[in-house]
Amino acid sequence: MPPDVAAAKPARVSWLAKLGPGLITGAADDDPSGIATYSQAGAQFGFGMLWTVLLTYPLMVGIQVISARIGRVSGHGLATNIRRHFPRSLLYLIVGLLLVANTINIAADVAAMGQALQLLAGGPSQLYALGFGMVSLLLQVFIPYRNYVRILKWLTLALMAYVATVLVVQVPWLTVLHDTLIPPLSWKAAYLTTVVAVFGTTISPYLFFWQASQEVEDMQADPHALALKRAPHQVSTNFNRIKADTVIGMGFSNVVAFCIILTTAVTLHAHGIGNIDSSAQAATALRPIAGEFAFLLFSLGIIGTGLLAVPVLAGSAAYAMAGAFGWTGSLEAQPKAAKKFYAIIAGATLVGAALCFTPVDPIKALYWSAVVNGVISVPIMVVMMLMARRHAIMGKLVISQRLKLLGWLCTGVMALAVVAMFATLGG
């Protein structure tokens, strides 16, 4: 097929069909453990945490666009590029910590989903958690990538539950606007720790690996697509698609985060409830204050977002391990052709679900998972920024100066957040 025909082909695809890696990545960011963090922020500090969402949005867009470009331009995921161009010791440390953090995060998410279903239907939350883990695993193993992505796209609609929840509670919008734009900042340890938690929840390493790998998956699924550094006629179309997909996906993510903080601020915080340990507890506390419908929406949202986030967590760990060791790693591949890749998905999911049957507290484990995520996010972003400016990886398509500045700003903010986190650990 001539280059001009290949370049024109994607233009006939609807804008909605173009949304994929960025939309799914953004939606997966609002997983049940993230919902718990945002709920705690709203319950404890009211409108005083809404400003964090405005700050994280452009930073998320910048760093996720960079991760997507690395995947689409080079034709390889982050771990493969790190293996090819950086010391193996750095690669193994990053991938190992990512696998541990993602597995703990899966445990916290399926536990929250089990608790949410228990609130709605009664019964054993642990068995529900195991069931959710098994459903997620079976979907990833037995449904081809192209069909599976459609399922994930539909699951993003679960996040609308939190937008709808805002509509059923009374919100003093003028106060919200004032406190969002002119926030009542504090230097107390509890406030700083919550800011760090919001940043750590919002800008997470597994999202970088997932979006870069999904760009590679989409490229491999299209017989006309090539790595962009070898296909200059496809650059403009794909860069525009990546930008729109990421802007919309991260915007969706941050709107939902804003709505969760807002909902818990106008309900729980306003009624003196300032301590929330889990998303299920947030739903329970919401029930007598905001009513049965708000409780129902909040609980269903926990289940829906968990079904979206668990495969992203397991999948990103598998992509990272496959890239680190040179395995076949694709959700499009049959299990027999990618045994090690699917073994990581199965192991991370099942171990995560199994942790719900142990004395390990998933919420406390999640705290340490957030610590690990916060710590490894900084070196991963540093490596990404170096990759995005390296001609051996990006060819002539190294990132622009503006995107470079935004990426380093995000890296610097996360580094400050990690320093603040350690400074407040004893507080």
Side-chain angles (χ1 to χ4, degrees):
M1 181 176 290
D4 57 334
V5 176
K9 185 179 179 64
R12 295 196 293 267
V13 180
S14 70
W15 70 269
L16 186 59
K18 292 179 184 179
L19 298 179
L23 176 65
I24 294 168
T25 301
D29 190 40
D30 293 319
D31 65 330
S33 57
I35 293 168
T37 300
Y38 299 135
S39 298
Q40 175 62 28
Q44 188 171 3
F45 297 103
F47 305 141
M49 280 290 162
L50 291 172
W51 66 272
T52 58
V53 178
L54 297 186
L55 180 58
T56 57
Y57 176 56
L59 300 181
M60 280 185 76
V61 169
I63 203 67
Q64 292 299 148
V65 164
I66 291 169
S67 69
R69 284 198 183 186
I70 291 171
R72 191 64 180 83
V73 170
S74 69
H76 300 289
L78 296 184
T80 299
N81 279 308
I82 296 173
R83 173 168 56 85
R84 292 183 172 189
H85 300 279
F86 292 87
R88 291 295 176 96
S89 56
L90 175 65
L91 170 67
Y92 296 151
L93 178 64
I94 286 174
V95 170
L97 289 173
L98 181 74
L99 178 61
V100 171
N102 282 16
T103 301
I104 295 173
N105 213 326
I106 289 171
D109 282 354
V110 295
M113 294 160 69
Q115 291 166 3
L117 185 55
Q118 183 184 49
L119 291 176
L120 295 172
S125 65
Q126 290 175 318
L127 290 181
Y128 291 152
L130 180 61
F132 284 128
M134 291 299 299
V135 167
S136 173
L137 176 58
L138 292 174
L139 288 174
Q140 290 181 89
V141 173
F142 293 108
I143 296 182
Y145 171 74
R146 275 171 277 193
N147 296 331
Y148 186 58
V149 165
R150 294 192 188 101
I151 295 174
L152 293 181
K153 283 186 181 181
W154 280 108
L155 283 173
T156 63
L157 294 177
L159 292 176
M160 294 304 296
Y162 296 104
V163 179
T165 306
V166 169
L167 302 179
V168 299
V169 297
Q170 296 207 346
V171 179
W173 287 108
L174 288 178
T175 305
V176 169
L177 181 63
H178 177 273
D179 287 0
T180 303
L181 299 179
I182 310 175
L185 300 177
S186 170
W187 297 106
K188 293 183 178 179
Y191 186 89
L192 291 176
T193 301
T194 306
V195 170
V196 171
V198 170
F199 272 77
T201 297
T202 306
I203 303 173
S204 298
Y206 74 89
L207 302 177
F208 313 152
F209 282 87
W210 174 263
Q211 189 164 353
S213 295
Q214 289 300 286
E215 286 292 334
V216 177
E217 289 271 24
D218 283 358
M219 181 194 73
Q220 293 174 343
D222 184 351
H224 305 288
L226 298 169
L228 293 183
K229 67 179 182 181
R230 297 194 299 271
H233 58 281
Q234 296 180 359
V235 170
S236 178
T237 298
N238 279 281
F239 274 13
N240 288 336
R241 174 191 55 78
I242 286 172
K243 181 178 179 180
D245 186 23
T246 306
V247 166
I248 292 172
M250 301 310 127
F252 190 28
S253 171
N254 280 266
V255 165
V256 171
F258 188 93
C259 288
I260 294 170
I261 295 174
L262 180 57
T263 297
T264 51
V266 298
T267 54
L268 307 186
H269 179 77
H271 286 78
I273 302 173
N275 187 30
I276 296 295
D277 291 328
S278 69
S279 51
Q281 185 185 344
T284 303
L286 199 64
R287 191 176 205 165
I289 299 171
E292 196 70 23
F293 188 53
F295 161 77
L296 180 65
L297 287 172
F298 207 93
S299 301
L300 289 174
I302 294 168
I303 296 171
T305 58
L307 288 171
L308 173 63
V310 169
V312 172
L313 285 158
S316 63
Y319 283 129
M321 291 291 286
F325 294 100
W327 303 336
T328 298
S330 171
L331 289 171
E332 188 68 24
Q334 292 295 319
K336 289 183 179 180
K339 293 180 181 178
K340 294 177 181 178
F341 175 77
Y342 283 106
I344 296 298
I345 290 177
T349 304
L350 295 178
V351 170
L355 286 175
C356 298
F357 292 86
T358 69
V360 175
D361 183 343
I363 303 306
K364 290 182 179 178
L366 181 64
Y367 173 80
W368 291 107
S369 169
V371 171
V372 172
N373 271 324
V375 171
I376 67 174
S377 66
V378 177
I380 291 175
M381 286 192 284
V382 170
V383 170
M384 284 172 54
M385 294 307 301
L386 296 176
M387 282 196 288
R389 295 290 293 178
R390 184 171 289 192
H391 291 281
I393 297 173
M394 304 291 286
K396 296 180 180 180
L397 299 175
V398 295
I399 59 173
S400 65
Q401 191 68 19
R402 183 172 64 175
L403 197 53
K404 175 185 173 183
L405 291 173
L406 186 56
W408 280 118
L409 177 62
C410 183
T411 306
V413 168
M414 281 304 298
L416 288 174
V418 171
V419 171
M421 175 179 66
F422 282 115
T424 57
L425 278 179

